[in-house]
Amino acid sequence: MLLIPAIDLKDGQCVQLRQGIMDSATVYSTDPAAMARHWVEAGARRLHVVDLDGAFAGQPVNRDLVRRIAQAAGDVPVQVGGGIRDLETARAYLEIGVSQVITGTRAVDDPDFLAALSETFPGQVVLGLDARDGRLATRGWATLKEVDAVAFASELDVELFAIVYTDVSRDGMLAGVNVAATERMALAAKAPIIASGGVRSLDDLRALDGLGLGPDRLLGAISGSALYEGTLDFASAQRWLGVR
């Protein structure tokens, strides 16, 4: 299982939000590319980058910054989401060194787009499913839909690299990962799940690993606030994961 550091971008800075609320941003670095180098040097095997401004705008806002992050990451894969709602945007990101693009809002609203995206860029598409109380949240989590997240995932028949499943109510709150919901999603979906939202400590990684799902169903977990606030020590987590 991978522990994947999050680099969320807002106004050119590396931030973390609480429950996706833009006004709640805590700034952790004014140089996101340097933060990417930090995580790579610490041993990260994948980075998760979100253009928060782009998620709300519906189109990329921090593309040049993402390019610099991809360059700083070197051979470490970078997955990027936020405002990716057409093939041209996805292609532009992949051309600047991003390994996988994450699409959420457009994919939920238009599954045919998700199919076209995955067919055009095989192995390079991640679906972002964000949920609050089990229901899908889109457009920067500002819109709550009457659609069950697990049911949506179970009905998909497209080739995906992975699905990032985020419990919005826990994101940035250091409240602990929603293990039960993650398990339901992992058992229902046809692609590996990357858990997101609420990771606080090594206990969360132990709980996820304890599900016994394997990397084909549970690829890893994203952590932002816990790593930046120090409730989860990256080096200690890496050592624990390295012996699994």
Side-chain angles (χ1 to χ4, degrees), residues 85-115:
R85 300 179 187 175
D86 55 61
L87 296 179
E88 292 72 23
T89 298
R91 180 176 289 106
Y93 268 133
L94 295 170
E95 288 176 349
I96 62 174
V98 168
S99 297
Q100 279 82 30
V101 291
I102 306 168
T103 181
T105 294
R106 177 77 192 276
V108 171
D109 291 342
D110 182 5
D112 289 340
F113 163 72
L114 179 62

Side-chain angles (χ1 to χ4, degrees), residues 54-160:
F56 281 87
Q59 60 185 6
V61 174
N62 293 289
R63 183 179 292 163
D64 186 61
L65 185 51
V66 171
R67 177 184 58 80
R68 298 203 299 272
I69 289 171
Q71 290 174 341
D75 294 334
V76 173
V78 175
Q79 59 188 44
V80 175
I84 300 175
R85 300 179 187 175
D86 55 61
L87 296 179
E88 292 72 23
T89 298
R91 180 176 289 106
Y93 268 133
L94 295 170
E95 288 176 349
I96 62 174
V98 168
S99 297
Q100 279 82 30
V101 291
I102 306 168
T103 181
T105 294
R106 177 77 192 276
V108 171
D109 291 342
D110 182 5
D112 289 340
F113 163 72
L114 179 62
L117 190 66
S118 63
E119 290 171 3
T120 305
F121 308 110
Q124 295 182 293
V125 177
V126 174
L127 172 61
L129 292 183
D130 308 321
R132 190 189 301 274
D133 297 325
R135 295 161 55 195
L136 287 175
T138 59
R139 304 188 184 282
W141 303 350
T143 300
L144 191 61
K145 304 179 77 69
E146 293 295 334
V147 179
D148 181 79
V150 172
F152 182 87
S154 69
E155 294 168 4
L156 287 175
D157 188 21
V158 295
E159 293 293 329
L160 299 169

